[in-house]
């Protein structure tokens, strides 16, 4: 897809709420970790410290959650770090960054 692509309309999918710092740190160390059931407690600890949170789909794609004005939607997911949740939104991809523009703030 080209830079600035918007995927057609809202979709509802499941995402794991991950700590972006942990994801980057573990990838740099070459272990591919920083997520999953074994990392859930660490993700919640990072969340309470105010770390950036993201969403990872089943294919390993990462998304930054934003509201309709493209402002951080971290507060919607901060209490769900390490959990798998269901959200509805539109995927917007720009220059290698994936955003999930949330349709609403209801977490399932």
């Amino acid at each position: 897809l080209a830079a600035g692509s918007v995927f057609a309309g809202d979709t509802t999918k499941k995402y794991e709420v991950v700590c972006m710092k942990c994801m980057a740190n573990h990838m740099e160390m070459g272990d591919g970790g920083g997520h999953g059931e074994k990392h859930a407690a660490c993700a919640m600890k990072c969340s309470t410290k105010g770390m950036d949170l993201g969403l990872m789909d089943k294919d390993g794609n990462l998304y930054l959650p934003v509201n309709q004005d493209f402002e951080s939607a971290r507060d919607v997911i901060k209490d769900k770090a390490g959990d798998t949740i269901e959200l509805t939104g539109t995927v917007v991809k720009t220059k290698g960054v994936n955003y999930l523009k949330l349709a609403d703030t209801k977490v399932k």
Side-chain angles (χ1 to χ4, degrees):
L1 293 172
S5 296
V6 177
F7 296 100
D10 288 342
T11 58
T12 300
K13 286 177 60 173
K14 290 185 179 183
Y15 302 90
E16 179 184 347
V17 180
V18 297
C19 171
M20 298 301 282
K21 173 191 161 253
C22 290
M23 292 295 294
N25 187 39
H26 284 271
M27 291 305 284
E28 184 179 57
M29 292 187 311
D31 66 11
H35 64 90
E37 189 176 305
K38 292 180 182 179
H39 200 76
C42 184
M44 183 52 79
K45 184 177 177 181
C46 287
S47 177
T48 61
K49 291 181 178 181
M51 298 305 220
D52 291 328
L53 298 175
L55 303 165
M56 186 171 69
D57 68 14
K58 66 179 178 64
D59 297 321
N61 299 307
L62 291 172
Y63 302 86
L64 296 175
V66 295
N67 66 19
Q68 293 295 308
D69 295 322
F70 283 93
E71 297 166 342
S72 174
R74 182 190 186 286
D75 286 348
V76 173
I77 61 172
K78 70 181 180 183
D79 296 330
K80 302 294 184 186
D83 293 342
T84 297
I85 61 174
E86 191 171 277
L87 292 168
T88 301
T90 300
V91 171
V92 178
K93 184 175 182 177
T94 178
K95 298 191 183 224
V97 178
N98 298 317
Y99 296 91
L100 181 65
K101 187 176 176 184
L102 299 179
D104 61 48
T105 57
K106 293 179 183 147
V107 176
K108 300 172 189 161

